[in-house]
Amino acid sequence: MKNFSMRAISGIIYALFIYLGTTIHPKGLIVLMMIFGLFCLYEFLKITNLKNKLFQFGSILTTIVIFAYYSKEFLNSFEISNHYFFYLKSLYFIIPVLFVFSIYIIFKSTNELLNDFGKFTLSITYIICPFALALTLPSYDYNLGEKVMHYEVFFIFLLLWCSDSFAYLTGSLIGKHKLAPKISGGKTWEGFFGGIIFTLIAGFVIETFFKGNLQGNWIIISLIIAILGPLGDLTESKLKRFFNVKDSSNLIPGHGGFLDRLDSFIFVVPFVYLYYLFIYTL
């Protein structure tokens, strides 16, 4: 009972922190993504056992440079109320391509994870870049003469929670066929498709009732999230299995580490960005 209470309390605080950071002001979103990025970076370096001080310093310095660039452009575009302006300066396909390359390394070229330079590279391309790229996702507008940031990032979190929850419930009730038994024994195909169905329903609700304040088609976005979110979890599981680690940390009581909670978010952001880039450049 004590563990359940601790898990519930930390979960509520975590969810509230996300809601406030993704809905109030662009500076709040910048702070939230930086905090998440740094905690996940710390856990990644711990999982991969990167002890070289030079590469550790390089990871932190590169993180600061990337966030400084994206934060500056994010705030500039918010001030001039031109979201498209940000996309013109967001380096287009570079980060998604580097991210996909990182996933390839984790699954198919794991020897790169045994050297310090490979660990350093992935700490940026796999961990930090998606959090910086998340700053490109919110649109903005005027409300009663005041500039406001819309809730795209919050709804991405909401859809991820929906996908995770209903995949777990469906898998627990009727799951029989393992999705990836060598990587994560708890996931099933039934749970995977159950998560997709309920996430699409949630996307339909968002598209129906919040469309006026959001960019893009949220049924399409929910499909992207429902399919790719579980792959983010499998990617982190693959990484932890390779290094023989159970949890990324215990920084969130009852939930493990930040990387355990944000692996799916990390995975879907580059692809939601590509979807937005596609509709912006049509």
Side-chain angles (χ1 to χ4, degrees), residues 5 27-28 37 43 53 55 74 91 114 136 139 149 183 239 254:
S5 299
K27 290 181 180 178
E43 292 175 352
K53 299 297 183 183
F55 282 117
F74 182 31
L91 307 182
L114 297 175
T136 68
S139 56
M149 177 180 70
I183 300 176
L239 185 69

Side-chain angles (χ1 to χ4, degrees), residues 240-251:
K240 291 190 296 185
R241 184 176 288 267
F242 181 77
F243 287 100
N244 196 28
V245 175
K246 182 180 179 182
D247 293 320
S248 59
S249 75
N250 58 356
L251 291 175

Side-chain angles (χ1 to χ4, degrees), residues 31 75 92 138 154 192 195 197 213 231 242 256 270 281:
V31 171
L75 292 176
Y92 291 116
F154 172 72
F192 176 70
I197 292 170
N213 294 323
L231 296 182
F242 181 77
T281 54

Side-chain angles (χ1 to χ4, degrees), residues 4 9 18-19 42 93 115 131 134 149 156 247 254 273 278:
F4 174 79
I9 292 171
I18 287 175
Y19 175 74
Y42 162 76
F93 294 102
N115 68 77
F131 286 110
M149 177 180 70
I156 288 173
D247 293 320
Y273 166 81
F278 175 75

Side-chain angles (χ1 to χ4, degrees), residues 83-154:
H83 191 224
Y84 182 65
F85 171 80
F86 196 176
Y87 272 81
L88 292 176
K89 310 191 83 173
S90 61
L91 307 182
Y92 291 116
F93 294 102
I94 293 177
I95 288 183
V97 168
L98 291 175
F99 180 79
V100 170
F101 179 68
S102 301
I103 304 306
Y104 174 81
I105 289 176
I106 292 172
F107 279 97
K108 295 296 184 179
S109 186
T110 48
N111 286 337
E112 296 297 328
L113 296 172
L114 297 175
N115 68 77
D116 289 345
F117 181 75
K119 296 173 183 178
F120 159 73
T121 302
L122 258 70
S123 73
I124 302 303
T125 58
Y126 169 57
I127 299 295
I128 295 303
C129 284
F131 286 110
L133 202 60
L135 299 180
T136 68
L137 302 183
S139 56
Y140 10 87
D141 205 344
Y142 283 92
N143 183 22
L144 300 178
E146 184 176 337
K147 292 177 185 175
V148 294
M149 177 180 70
H150 293 153
Y151 295 1
E152 283 88 351
V153 177
F154 172 72

Side-chain angles (χ1 to χ4, degrees), residues 166-226:
F166 283 102
Y168 173 77
L169 289 174
T170 308
S172 298
L173 291 173
I174 61 173
K176 293 182 180 180
H177 302 88
K178 299 296 184 182
L179 178 62
K182 292 184 178 180
I183 300 176
S184 180
K187 293 188 179 300
T188 65
W189 281 105
E190 292 84 356
F192 176 70
F193 287 113
I196 290 177
I197 292 170
F198 283 99
T199 306
L200 282 173
I201 293 172
F204 175 78
V205 172
I206 294 172
E207 177 69 15
T208 301
F209 294 100
F210 299 94
K211 172 64 177 175
N213 294 323
L214 301 171
Q215 61 172 336
N217 185 305
W218 279 79
I219 298 176
I220 295 176
I221 293 173
S222 67
L223 183 62
I224 294 171
I225 289 171

